Every structure is written in structure tokens, then in C-alpha cells.
Amino acid sequence: MRVRPCDGLVGTIRVPGDKSISHRAAILGSLATGQTKIDGFLQSVDCLSTLACLDLLGVKFSWDAGALLIDGGGRRGLSEPTEVLDAGNSGTTMRLLAGVVAGYDFLSIFTGDASLRKRPMDRVAQPLREMGARVDGRGDGRFPPLAIRGGFLKPISYRTPVPSAQVKSAILLASLYASGVSRVAESSTSRDHTERMMNYFGIPIEKRDGWVDIGPVTEDPRGRPVTIPGDISSAAFLIAVAACSPGSKLRVENVGVNPTRTGLLDVLRTMGATIELDKEREVCGEPVADVVVTGTKLQGATVAGGMIPRLIDEIPALVVAAAKAEGATVVRDASELRVKETDRIRELAAGLGQLGVVVEPRTDGLAIEGPQEIRGGVASSSGDHRLALALACAGLLARQEVIVRDFACADVSFPGFINVLVDLGVQVDVA
Ligand code: S3P
């Protein structure tokens, strides 16, 4: 795709539904009894991978005017898949569903695309084994394909070695099948959508003294309507561009502003950005608002520690804004970036480097000295959706046009990105 530089972003937009919440709504709707109607479900490649796996597990669903209707069969309603479950590019699909099928005494085999097959699965395999499931995989059980035969699970008390919402969620989902109370703790809080949605579905789950306690779960949850807000991780790209470009005035309507996900807004504010929340409300247990950004010149910042899980997916967007900020921006304690859809430390530095931006990759993060001119040119997404979006956003702030090769992978999280840019008056086309 080709994008031309713009003089700030002015307008009111919406972004597609939240990816994390969409996966969870589909999964919990499948494990509930009766109908769950999901409005705002993200029809992106990743979420469609979850639906394809649920389909193979025997879940019945249909579409009604853009809403997803799931006809849930209860916790015991799944059946042994006759085919390999293909999670595509989606770590959330594989790790969360691994937790679900661990509750079943049948064989499930998961695979994924070349990127997902390189991502660590021992982080879910280990606690699920402790609960009593048999989990095997390539590389001594560490990588997909993953084979799971479960059933007869015991409750667990588990401290996750790295803060990971996917690991926490896999354990919480498996705990629906364990008699008794299971507990999960993490060193820094990762996104808590599973906890909130389980609570919304009436599952006994509670946060206490740094632990999430679940169970005993004695009844099937009942299906209910779910409305999904816009994805702050998608909005993040446009928020970051608007925040660092004087002249911008951008309103993103109906965005999820769960505090476990709003680290980027906090960091941009410490960099001097003007970002306000308007029409704050709660929808199906999740905080939602319009995010209003007024562009200005930013200063660099250091981001580390407990902030990292709150903006892990937004670091590509942050780095683009940091290129335009005055002074150094340093990201530390973020080695998790190395095991995302790509090694995002390496690929961000390489991709932005192709556009003339100097980003210093570090073992556990990145450093960037600003302000820098983003020259423009041709850069490759390396098949990573968030890198594709970051490079396109760099193009909005560049001197000359930017061509992003292999941009189609943006559909993994943000289908319709190009149309949103067109609505904002940006000159963009598919080259
Ligand atoms: C996700 C959790 C995060 C995030 C990923 C989606 C989720 O990963 O990076 O894009 O939906 O649970 P972790 O499991 O490493 O927290």
C-alpha cells in the first residue's frame, strides 16, 4: 500500500471491534448454554481463526446483520475435532483454546502459520499439565503443532513466570473444568478481559490480594448479549500519529479503555500529549469512551516495568510517535516483544530503518532519539500486522510517500484501515 504524508489528522472515526474481547466473547458464548448475540465482533483474520476452530469443535454459529449468533452447548458441549485446529497467525486462539480443550478427554491438535509455529507454547503447556492434561508439542513440547488430551482436571494455584493474558486466560478457561477453586497470580497485571467477561457471564471469579480466584464452577454459564467496543490497539496507531502532529484534532468514538490496555495513552500524556476521554461509560463490564486527541510537539520518555504489559501491542505505534518527539525514548523490560508475531524489536528497527529512521534495538527493548526526519521510501511488514500499520503511520509523518510491502496482513487486526485513512482525507492507495 502507498500512503502520502499528511498535515495532521482531523476528523471523527471509529475503529473495528476489540480483538482480545472478540476471541473471549466467541469462546465463552460457545461454553454457555443458549444463544449469545455478539455485536461489534471483530471480523479479522485472527478472530475468524477462533471461529474456524470452534466450528471444528462442533460449535454452531451464524451471522445476522453483522452480529455473530452463537448457539452454545454448555461447558460439555464441544466434540472431538475430526481435523487439525488451525489457529493461523493467532496466539490468542491457540493458547486460549488450549485451556478449553484441556477440559476434554479427547484429542485436539493445534497448528498455525509459520510465525505461530515459532512461538512458545510451553507457557500454557506447563500449567495445563499441572492440572492433569496431556500436552505435547514439537521441540520437546515447546512449539506447535501441539497435541492435547485432557479431562479430569485438578484446580491449580499458579504464578505466571511472565505476565501474559493468554496464559492467565488458558488457566482460567481450563478451571471451568476443574472441581474446586483455582488461582492465578502475575507479577504485573496483564489485560483482564477474560476475568471481566467471565464475571459478565455469571461465572464465580474474583480478584483478591493480587490473585484471581475462579470457582468452584458448578453451573454452565448462560448465553447473553455482548457488545464489543472498538479496539484501542487499532486506534493506537492513529492516536499516536495525531498526538505527535501539531494541527491534529482526532476523535475516535467508542473505544475500549480498560486500564490494563491504556498504557499508551498514559505514556503519550507524560510525553506532553493532550488526550481526553469523553462519554465514559461501561458496556458489558468493560470501560468504553471516545478518545479525543489534540496534536502537539512531544518529548521523549522512558517506558519500563509494570507499564509494559499495559502497552505491549502499542509499542510499534509509540515508536513512530517517538521518532517525532524531542529527546530520547527508551523502552525497557519488553523482551516479550521478541516472541510476538515477529521479533518486534528486530523488525521495528529494520522496518523503520528502511524509511530512514534510526532505532536502536536492545536486548529487552528499543531506544530512539528524536526528533528525526522520516524520509519515506519502501519498507516491508515482514508479515506482521502491527508492523504493517506502524510503517503506514510512519508514512503519514514522513517527508515523502511510503510504500508498505505485504500490507495485507493488517487484516489480522485492523480490516478497513485504508478506508479509515480515506475518511480522514489521507491520500492512500493499494499499489
Ligand atoms: C492478548 C494478550 C497479549 C497480547 C496479544 C493478545 C490476549 O499477549 O500481546 O496481542 O488477547 O490475551 P500476552 O499473552 O503475552 O499477554
Side-chain angles (χ1 to χ4, degrees), residues 19-21 23-24 92 95-96 119 123 163-167 169 190-191 193 312-313 336 340-341 344 386:
K19 182 155 78 74
S20 291
I21 304 177
H23 287 295
R24 287 154 172 84
T92 310
R95 295 193 179 118
L96 268 58
R119 297 181 65 189
R123 49 180 67 192
S164 160
Q166 293 170 354
V167 174
S169 302
S190 64
R191 63 193 66 192
H193 304 301
I312 189 75
D313 292 342
E336 274 295 295
K340 293 294 176 190
E341 286 81 333
R344 285 195 177 142
R386 299 210 196 277

